[in-house]
Amino acid sequence: MARILILLSILTLSQFAQCRTVDASVQYQDSNKNEIGISKVAVLLFDIEDAKWGDEFTDAISLHISKRLPIRVIEREQLSKVVNEQSFSKTGIIDTQTAVRLGKILGVDALVFGRGSALKKFDDKGRLIPNLIDTVSLKVVHIESGQVIINGRKKPGTDWSALMLTKYILGLSLIWSKEDILLKTSEYDYVAESLVSQIQSELPRLR
């Protein structure tokens, strides 16, 4: 029985090991330095299609940046005031040039913004399950250079992280089904934390 369980675990791991749907990349300003040169950022409201909780996802991104990275995030009230006064877009639908203008007014080193779409799943009673993300893209624009220095994204589907694989294997798919894992890894807080975690993993100096 033990051998069968081990074999099952190996087969499952080999099947899903490459099935991460959350990824990020970093473009350093100086190829000789593993530093991104930012200490303060503003996070613009993410535009999540077919969802009314884009602001909550934005707060989750801000929270995890503050927790995981040595970067200060300015208060949303300060950002909203400038956006309203200068008639900038309030959502993640923004071009790089506009991001640079807004960042200079705010006095930040970089601007974080993005957009995505909600995942539509229903429970046994036909009710829409809230707060699920299907896809999302994130960009960080360095204000001084005007370059996109960080790209992050979540592709459609289940994010088979080591933790999710472990839950699925140890539960023999009886406690946690594939659908359960899909729903869990699509929750906006999970996606926000995973995106920032992937960014952190690409920053050796910040580990």
Side-chain angles (χ1 to χ4, degrees):
M1 180 64 182
R3 290 183 178 179
I4 294 176
L5 182 58
I6 292 173
L7 179 59
L8 178 63
S9 300
I10 292 173
L11 290 174
T12 305
L13 283 169
S14 63
Q15 181 181 0
F16 296 117
Q18 303 300 320
C19 294
R20 292 299 307 268
T21 59
V22 178
D23 194 16
S25 64
V26 175
Q27 179 68 48
Y28 296 105
Q29 296 298 298
D30 186 337
S31 59
N32 296 317
K33 296 181 180 179
N34 292 338
E35 298 176 346
I36 53 176
I38 61 176
S39 59
K40 183 169 65 171
V41 302
V43 181
L44 198 62
L45 180 65
F46 276 67
D47 179 58
I48 307 298
E49 186 180 355
D50 296 326
K52 297 180 179 179
W53 37 262
D55 55 339
E56 296 174 28
F57 177 69
T58 304
D59 286 343
I61 289 288
S62 299
L63 172 64
H64 290 296
I65 288 176
S66 298
K67 288 177 62 176
R68 288 180 170 271
L69 305 176
I71 295 173
R72 186 163 70 89
V73 180
I74 69 168
E75 295 293 332
R76 186 196 288 184
E77 290 74 15
Q78 181 182 349
L79 173 60
S80 296
K81 181 179 179 181
V82 172
V83 167
N84 291 330
E85 288 178 350
Q86 302 295 325
S87 299
F88 284 105
S89 170
K90 297 181 180 180
T91 71
I93 306 176
I94 186 174
D95 57 59
T96 302
Q97 187 175 13
T98 304
V100 170
R101 287 174 51 214
L102 177 57
K104 287 181 177 179
I105 295 173
L106 290 167
V108 296
D109 302 309
L111 194 69
V112 182
F113 57 96
R115 60 190 305 183
S117 60
L119 176 64
K120 293 185 178 180
K121 286 286 184 177
F122 301 87
D123 62 21
D124 295 337
K125 296 182 179 180
R127 295 172 300 194
L128 181 67
I129 302 174
N131 306 335
L132 300 180
I133 287 183
D134 185 31
T135 64
V136 70
S137 62
L138 173 152
K139 290 184 179 182
V140 179
V141 172
H142 188 260
I143 302 306
E144 183 177 351
S145 67
Q147 295 181 351
V148 177
I149 57 173
I150 296 176
N151 279 290
R153 67 168 180 166
K154 180 209 178 294
K155 299 181 293 185
T158 304
D159 185 48
W160 287 102
S161 65
L163 176 60
M164 293 298 114
L165 279 170
T166 301
K167 287 184 176 182
Y168 182 71
I169 292 171
L170 294 182
L172 297 177
S173 75
L174 298 176
I175 300 176
W176 287 78
S177 68
K178 289 183 179 180
E179 183 72 5
D180 292 331
I181 302 295
L182 171 62
L183 294 177
K184 179 62 181 178
T185 60
S186 298
E187 292 177 357
Y188 71 68
D189 194 60
Y190 175 92
V191 174
E193 183 175 10
S194 296
L195 276 171
V196 176
S197 178
Q198 286 295 104
I199 293 170
Q200 182 185 32
S201 71
E202 294 294 316
L203 300 172
R205 293 289 183 87
L206 301 183
R207 291 178 187 174

